[in-house]
Amino acid sequence: QVQLVQSGVEVKKPGSSVKVSCKPSGGIFSNHAFTWLRQAPGQGLEWMGGIIPISGNTKEAQKFQGRLTITADKSTSTAYMELASLRLDDTAVYYCATSTDGSTWSGWGQGTLVTVSS
Amino acid sequence: DIQMTQSPSSLSASVGDRVTMTCRASQSITTYLNWYQQKSGKAPKLLMFAVSNLQRGVPARFRGSGSGTDFTLTISGLQPEDFATYYCQQSYSFPYTFGLGTKVEV
């Protein structure tokens, strides 16, 4: 299975932005779709959106539209998730995950804890 | 959005037991149903895709069934490493959604 390495823990103030990176360990970047999901403390999993790097096409959950930007840098084989206007309830572990079809995720990053606190 | 409802929310079992958990979708998702296993503090792991197809490396004691709105995950001969939370996920339509999970406990 694909190994994904995410950036580290973040602590942010309400109203600020966070940008999390995700890099696969192998050369699968352009052939796969990258998806971002999150899990609030003690809660279930929530799909946020994804990107297909080879085309640049993205899809975001309506819940996050206007706040969420998903990008991919093909030169560094890195995917990014940026969430703006952070709120306290954005505190969660954010995961990147990879798939060939964009909807069934066989490779996962280790997760990035984002804490939003005043 | 398609709502996914899992039951029970938790169950107690012993090594060697056969356990069954269910997942119900709020509308038909045909066979676009995946199962994930998550252990405490770890990322989820894909167990099964399209209802009943085992992900590579997943042991055959895991079995999935169902179609339409009702789905089941069965673990036959529970092993110590199977104590975890199991999530179903629909890949039928955006936004992709998960159930709240079934926690399998000792």
Side-chain angles (χ1 to χ4, degrees):
Chain A
Q1 291 178 355
V2 175
Q3 300 291 326
L4 303 175
V5 180
Q6 298 182 222
S7 50
V9 172
E10 301 269 9
V11 180
K12 295 292 183 179
K13 299 286 189 188
S16 67
S17 298
V18 68
K19 191 170 186 177
V20 181
S21 67
C22 170
K23 186 175 174 68
S25 58
I28 54 88
F29 188 71
S30 292
N31 297 334
H32 281 56
F34 289 81
T35 298
W36 291 91
L37 307 101
R38 73 179 186 178
Q39 188 169 35
Q43 302 300 309
L45 293 155
E46 181 175 31
W47 174 80
M48 299 179 71
I51 187 167
I52 302 173
I54 197 169
S55 64
N57 289 342
T58 62
K59 181 75 174 178
E60 298 86 16
Q62 189 169 10
K63 171 179 181 178
F64 299 104
Q65 282 183 353
R67 292 207 296 143
L68 176 64
T69 305
I70 296 174
T71 56
D73 184 340
K74 286 186 279 189
S75 68
T76 60
S77 298
T78 304
Y80 297 93
M81 183 281 300
E82 184 170 19
L83 189 62
S85 303
L86 288 169
R87 306 187 288 246
L88 298 178
D89 62 359
D90 289 319
T91 293
V93 176
Y94 288 76
Y95 291 103
C96 70
T98 189
S99 64
T100 54
D101 64 359
S103 66
T104 303
W105 304 294
S106 56
W108 290 74
Q110 81 276 20
T112 297
L113 175 62
V114 176
T115 301
V116 183
S117 174
S118 54
Chain B
D1 298 3
I2 298 175
Q3 306 302 315
M4 306 299 290
T5 303
Q6 289 186 246
S7 61
S9 57
S10 66
L11 63 90
S12 296
S14 300
V15 172
D17 284 353
R18 179 173 183 265
V19 301
T20 299
M21 61 195 77
T22 65
C23 174
R24 175 166 288 175
S26 59
Q27 66 183 74
S28 177
I29 56 171
T30 65
T31 57
Y32 288 85
L33 189 282
N34 305 317
W35 289 97
Y36 296 84
Q37 177 194 66
Q38 187 178 34
K39 297 182 180 179
S40 182
K42 301 294 186 182
K45 170 188 170 183
L46 178 65
L47 280 182
M48 203 166 305
F49 59 95
V51 178
S52 59
N53 296 275
L54 285 175
Q55 175 67 0
R56 188 165 51 233
V58 174
R61 63 179 179 271
F62 291 89
R63 188 172 66 85
S65 63
S67 67
T69 60
D70 294 310
F71 304 89
T72 299
L73 175 67
T74 299
I75 311 171
S76 300
L78 198 67
Q79 295 300 300
E81 60 268 28
D82 300 337
F83 291 96
T85 300
Y86 294 83
Y87 293 97
C88 62
Q89 174 241 334
Q90 63 84 13
S91 56
Y92 182 79
S93 67
F94 293 116
Y96 301 131
T97 48
F98 292 81
L100 293 180
T102 292
K103 186 174 184 178
V104 177
E105 303 175 292
V106 177

